[in-house]
Amino acid sequence: MGVFNWPIRLDSMDGERSLTIEAMVDTGASYTIVPASLLQELGVVPIDKISLVLADGRPVEYDIGQAMATIDGRTEATLVVFGDDNARALLGEYTLGGLRLAVDPTHGRLVPATDAWA
């Protein structure tokens, strides 16, 4: 499992609002989790709820919504989880897969999935 920070731009689905945050890339995280207050400022609205198990083993339920994610010039619609306001943003596998990015844990960076190694 690799953990490092990477900038991600999130845009509202209508493209009218955006924000750039530094998110922790965690290959153990399934979904991108952003403090709920930031997603609300961005105009993201909950579309469903999702049950997750946190790294410490606690089961939680959070709202999920949709936003456009951009990393290194690649843009794709993704699910975002309305996380706790005091928590760090996490960049998860669902978003990375949609953007066709892979983790290079040796160098602590993201690379195009086509550049990934077997």
Side-chain angles (χ1 to χ4, degrees):
M1 175 161 73
V3 177
F4 55 91
N5 294 319
W6 204 265
I8 178 174
R9 189 182 82 219
L10 296 173
D11 295 286
S12 58
M13 292 303 285
D14 62 11
E16 292 188 13
R17 289 174 254 173
S18 74
L19 62 88
T20 300
I21 58 174
E22 192 80 9
M24 183 169 51
V25 178
D26 182 349
T27 57
S30 298
Y31 294 96
T32 295
I33 302 174
V34 178
S37 60
L38 293 178
L39 292 178
Q40 291 163 349
E41 286 176 29
L42 192 59
V44 176
V45 294
I47 58 171
D48 204 351
K49 292 199 178 286
I50 190 167
S51 297
L52 301 171
V53 177
L54 298 180
D56 65 7
R58 285 183 297 134
V60 293
E61 184 174 89
Y62 288 118
D63 288 329
I64 58 170
Q66 292 180 308
M68 297 300 292
T70 302
I71 297 176
D72 296 341
R74 294 171 180 245
T75 301
E76 187 65 50
T78 192
L79 293 174
V80 288
V81 176
F82 287 71
D84 296 331
D85 282 331
N86 60 347
R88 293 217 36 198
L90 287 179
L91 179 54
E93 286 292 329
Y94 184 92
T95 301
L96 291 173
L99 291 167
R100 298 160 321 281
L101 292 169
V103 174
D104 174 355
T106 303
H107 299 100
R109 63 184 180 154
L110 298 177
V111 296
T114 56
D115 294 347
W117 46 96

